[in-house]
Amino acid sequence: MIVNPLRDPRDRRLPRVPDPCALVVFGITGDLARKKLLPAVYDLANRGLLPTNFALLGFARRDWGDTDFAELARDAARKAARTPWREEVWERLAGSVRFVQGSFDDDNAFDELAGALADLESSHGIGGNAAFYLSIPPSMFPVVLKQMERTGMAESTRDRWRRVVVEKPFGHDLTSSRELNELVDSVFSAEDVFRIDHYLGKETVQNLMALRFANTLFEPIWNGHHVDSVQITMAEDVGIGGRAGFYEKTGAARDVLQNHLLQLLALTAMEEPVEFSAEEIRTEKLKVLRAVSLPDDLRAAAIRGQYEQGWLAGQRADGYRQEEGVDPASKTETYAAVRLGVETRRWAGVPFYLRTGKRLPRRVTEIALVFKRAPHLPFADTDTEELGNNQLVVRVQPDEGVTLKFGSKVPGSVMEVRDVSMDFLYGEQFTEASPEAYERLLLDVLLGDATLFPRNAEVEASWAVIDPLEEFWASTTPYPYRAGEWGPRAADEMLAAEGRRWRRP
Ligand code: BG6
C-alpha cells in the first residue's frame, strides 16, 4: 500500500492504493463479471485507486484473443460504469488486459495462465501479486482450485501475495459449505480467502456501524428494554430474470436469507467491536450468528411463498412457474419470512422478523427498529389513536439514509398526536456519490483488507440457521402471492398473531 510518510499511516481518510498486482477472473463471460466486476475495475481506475502496475486477466472457454476480451470488457464497463466514461482511462487499462483460453480441466491452459502471470511480472511489474476471482458455479471450484495448487499459483510467499475471492452461495447447506471451506482452505491460507457478500460493501450497511458506534444517541436504546421488534426487509420488484437454472435449485432462503439478511441481522445485533478491524468485527458478528434461535414451532414462524401472475408498475408479470426454465410444478420459494430470536442479554425476547421476496411492489432494503410503546400516555385515547410505535429505519437502498418516526402534535386546538418522520438522506448531505459495493470490495481484496468479508465460521453458523428451515419447508408447498403484492397473506398473519404488522416501506 502506498502511504504518504508525512501523514499518520493509520489515517484511513487517505485514498488507499493497492500494491502492483493482477486480477484474474474465472467466468469472465458470465453475468456477474459483465454487470459488476468489469465496471467496478473501470470505476476504480477512473478514481485513481488502482496501482499503476495493474493487469486484468480473463479466463474462459471462448476462442478469443486479448483484443476480443478487451472489447468485451470495454463494452461491459462502458454500459454499467458508475463514473463518467473517459476513453483515456480505458486505453491505459486496455494495455494490460490479457485473455487465456481453456477449460477448467485443461492442464495446458492453466500452465499458460501461470506463464501469463509470470510474463506480466516482467512486462508490467505486477510484483507477482494476484487475486483470483472465482465467478463460476461452486461445482467448478474443486477442479479450478486443484489446478491452482498444481501450478503453484495459489502460493503466497514473503515477496508476493496470492488471494482468492469466492462468490456466494457458499455451499448448499452446512455439510456442503464445510466441504467447500475445507477445500478452499487446503489450497489457500485462511487470510488469503475473501468470501464476498456484496451487501457488506454497501455504504449504508457500513453506516449502520457508524450510526451505532460513533454516536451516543442510539446505543442506550438499542436493546430489548426499548426495542419491541426488529424488521429486516429485502424486497425486489424484479423476478428471477434469466437465472431459472440457478434459482430453481436455490430459492429465496439460500439465495439471500442465508447471507445478506443474516449479515444485516448480525450487524444490527452485535456488540461493539474492540476496534474496527476484520478480526474484531467478524468475532462480534459470529457471536450473534451463533446466538440466533428458531422458534420450536416453525409452522407459525417460517413462511415461504411463490409469486403468481400479477401486475407490477402497470405491466403484466408472469408467475414464477411460467418463467422460462422453471418446472411448471416447482416448489421453489421466491419469498421467505421468518421470526428469529437472538439469545443474548441485549436481545432476549425481541423478535427479529426477516423477509425477502421477488416480484414485490418495489425494490427496497431496510432495517427497522420498532420501539416499545410509551408505558403511559397522559392523553385521551382518541387523541393518540393514530399514533404508531416509534421507529428507527436504516434505509439500505434506494434513497439511502436513516428515518426516525415519532409522534408529534397535529396543529390545531386539540391535543391530537400523530406519527411524523425525520429524514437523513445521503444524497442531500454528501456531494460524493456512494461507490458500488463491488468497487469497494474489489479494492479491499487487492488491499488485503478483510473487514467486510464474512469468515467461514460465520458462513457455517448461518447455514446452521437455514438448514432446519429448509428441512421443514421440504415437505410444504409455498403459499402463492400475486406479483406486485407484499408476499403471501400467511406472512401478514404471522405478525398479526403476535399483535404486530409488517412495515409497508
Ligand atoms: C444477489 C442475489 O446476491 O443479490 C439476487 O443472488 C438478488 O437474487 C441480488 O437479486 C440483489 O442485489 P442488490 O444489490 O441489487 O440488492
Side-chain angles (χ1 to χ4, degrees):
M1 192 194 320
I2 297 165
V3 250
N4 178 344
L6 298 177
R7 304 275 289 271
D8 179 348
R10 287 166 307 173
D11 186 345
R12 299 178 73 110
R13 289 169 305 174
L14 290 174
R16 300 179 299 160
V17 178
D19 301 324
C21 62
L23 174 67
V24 182
V25 183
F26 293 102
I28 194 77
T29 51
D31 236 31
L32 180 78
R34 279 184 294 115
K35 292 194 179 140
K36 300 286 182 191
L37 304 181
L38 293 167
V41 169
Y42 167 80
D43 286 322
L44 287 172
N46 202 10
R47 291 166 63 209
L49 296 176
L50 288 183
T52 325
N53 300 343
F54 173 80
L56 175 68
L57 275 104
F59 186 103
R61 226 172 332 191
R62 305 256 167 113
D63 189 11
W64 276 352
D66 292 345
T67 334
D68 302 306
F69 171 48
E71 238 166 72
L72 165 115
R74 182 181 184 282
D75 283 355
R78 179 127 212 204
K79 233 181 244 158
R82 179 183 66 85
T83 57
W85 186 255
R86 291 197 292 152
E87 201 60 41
E88 67 274 20
V89 171
W90 179 257
E91 285 304 318
R92 225 174 304 131
L93 258 179
S96 51
V97 167
R98 295 283 179 278
F99 182 75
V100 175
Q101 192 246 334
S103 57
F104 297 144
D105 55 5
D106 178 354
D107 287 359
N108 291 338
F110 277 82
D111 292 340
E112 201 187 313
L113 179 62
L117 277 174
D119 289 348
L120 282 164
E121 219 166 306
S122 44
S123 63
H124 284 73
I126 57 164
N129 304 317
F132 301 94
Y133 202 117
L134 304 191
S135 178
I136 52 176
S139 56
M140 301 288 172
F141 286 3
V143 50
V144 172
L145 288 164
K146 288 288 166 220
Q147 291 282 18
M148 284 198 267
E149 192 177 32
R150 183 186 64 78
T151 49
M153 274 192 287
E155 220 175 294
S156 286
T157 63
R158 264 221 334 252
D159 305 321
R160 71 167 206 207
W161 52 256
R162 293 290 162 102
R163 298 177 186 140
V164 69
V165 187
V166 190
E167 262 292 336
K168 62 162 263 288
F170 315 111
H172 195 68
D173 52 21
L174 181 57
T175 312
S176 57
S177 94
R178 276 198 183 132
E179 284 165 9
L180 182 65
N181 280 331
E182 270 166 30
L183 175 71
V184 178
D185 288 346
S186 69
V187 178
F188 283 88
S189 44
E191 69 272 14
D192 292 333
V193 181
F194 291 75
R195 292 172 186 80
I196 287 227
D197 182 317
H198 78 279
Y199 264 60
L200 297 180
K202 292 184 190 270
E203 282 288 318
T204 27
V205 173
Q206 295 161 57
N207 187 40
L208 186 56
M209 287 187 274
L211 186 80
R212 294 190 54 196
F213 306 129
N215 297 299
T216 50
L217 199 56
F218 305 109
E219 213 43 27
I221 53 169
W222 206 275
N223 54 53
H225 295 302
H226 300 278
V227 174
D228 165 80
S229 55
V230 178
Q231 290 190 18
I232 303 183
T233 300
M234 175 189 164
E236 293 185 281
D237 52 357
V238 292
I240 52 152
R243 297 199 303 158
F246 160 77
Y247 206 85
E248 272 284 86
K249 287 188 273 147
T250 310
R254 289 189 171 102
D255 185 29
V256 298
L257 191 58
Q258 188 273 342
N259 37 80
H260 305 329
L261 290 188
L262 283 178
Q263 283 289 322
L264 293 183
L265 177 145
L267 288 169
T268 306
M270 75 181 190
E271 296 302 316
E272 182 174 294
V274 173
E275 59 174 17
F276 195 75
S277 69
E279 191 54 27
E280 300 299 342
I281 293 176
R282 289 157 142 194
T283 299
E284 295 307 333
K285 280 194 294 166
L286 179 60
K287 282 196 221 159
V288 173
L289 292 168
R290 287 209 174 128
V292 168
S293 67
L294 285 163
D296 294 336
D297 185 5
L298 287 178
R299 274 172 309 179
I303 305 294
R304 60 183 201 137
Q306 189 187 65
Y307 61 83
E308 293 188 322
Q309 187 187 84
W311 291 85
L312 248 158
Q315 303 266 338
R316 224 176 87 142
D318 278 344
Y320 177 68
R321 292 178 179 186
Q322 283 89 55
E323 302 269 17
E324 207 184 316
V326 171
D327 175 357
S330 172
K331 288 187 174 180
T332 300
E333 82 279 358
T334 59
Y335 175 99
V338 289
R339 166 162 54 80
L340 302 176
V342 177
E343 305 308 322
T344 62
R345 183 169 282 224
R346 187 191 278 262
W347 295 115
V350 178
F352 281 71
Y353 299 107
L354 273 51
R355 66 175 159 164
T356 183
K358 300 242 182 230
R359 287 275 187 245
L360 299 184
R362 51 179 300 229
R363 174 177 185 252
V364 57
T365 299
E366 61 163 43
I367 300 160
L369 266 67
V370 179
F371 290 91
K372 291 185 173 163
R373 284 179 177 276
H376 167 74
L377 288 171
F379 310 103
D381 286 351
T382 49
D383 295 339
T384 55
E385 64 189 4
E386 288 186 49
L387 185 64
N389 295 50
N390 293 168
Q391 296 182 8
L392 179 74
V393 184
V394 175
R395 291 193 312 276
V396 174
Q397 63 186 23
D399 308 327
E400 290 86 349
V402 180
T403 296
L404 193 60
K405 201 173 126 204
F406 55 95
S408 171
K409 182 183 175 304
V410 179
S413 53
V414 290
M415 193 59 199
E416 193 189 340
V417 186
R418 211 188 279 165
D419 289 326
V420 293
S421 45
M422 207 156 76
D423 273 328
F424 149 61
L425 265 166
Y426 263 82
E428 279 178 4
Q429 299 275 329
F430 300 107
T431 46
E432 199 180 328
S434 299
E436 270 280 327
Y438 277 96
E439 237 173 293
R440 170 65 198 259
L441 296 176
L442 261 187
L443 181 63
D444 283 357
V445 170
L446 303 183
L447 288 163
D449 181 347
T451 311
L452 301 177
F453 298 81
R455 205 197 258 164
N456 68 12
E458 288 172 66
V459 173
E460 289 177 10
S462 302
W463 279 119
V465 175
I466 300 298
D467 277 5
L469 285 173
E470 292 289 358
E471 205 176 302
F472 162 66
W473 279 332
S475 57
T476 67
T477 304
Y479 291 102
Y481 63 97
R482 260 203 295 267
E485 285 180 350
W486 278 105
R489 207 171 324 131
D492 292 335
E493 288 163 3
M494 163 172 126
L495 264 71
E498 296 169 8
R500 302 187 176 93
R501 50 174 186 204
W502 291 108
R503 282 176 41 80
R504 290 279 178 261

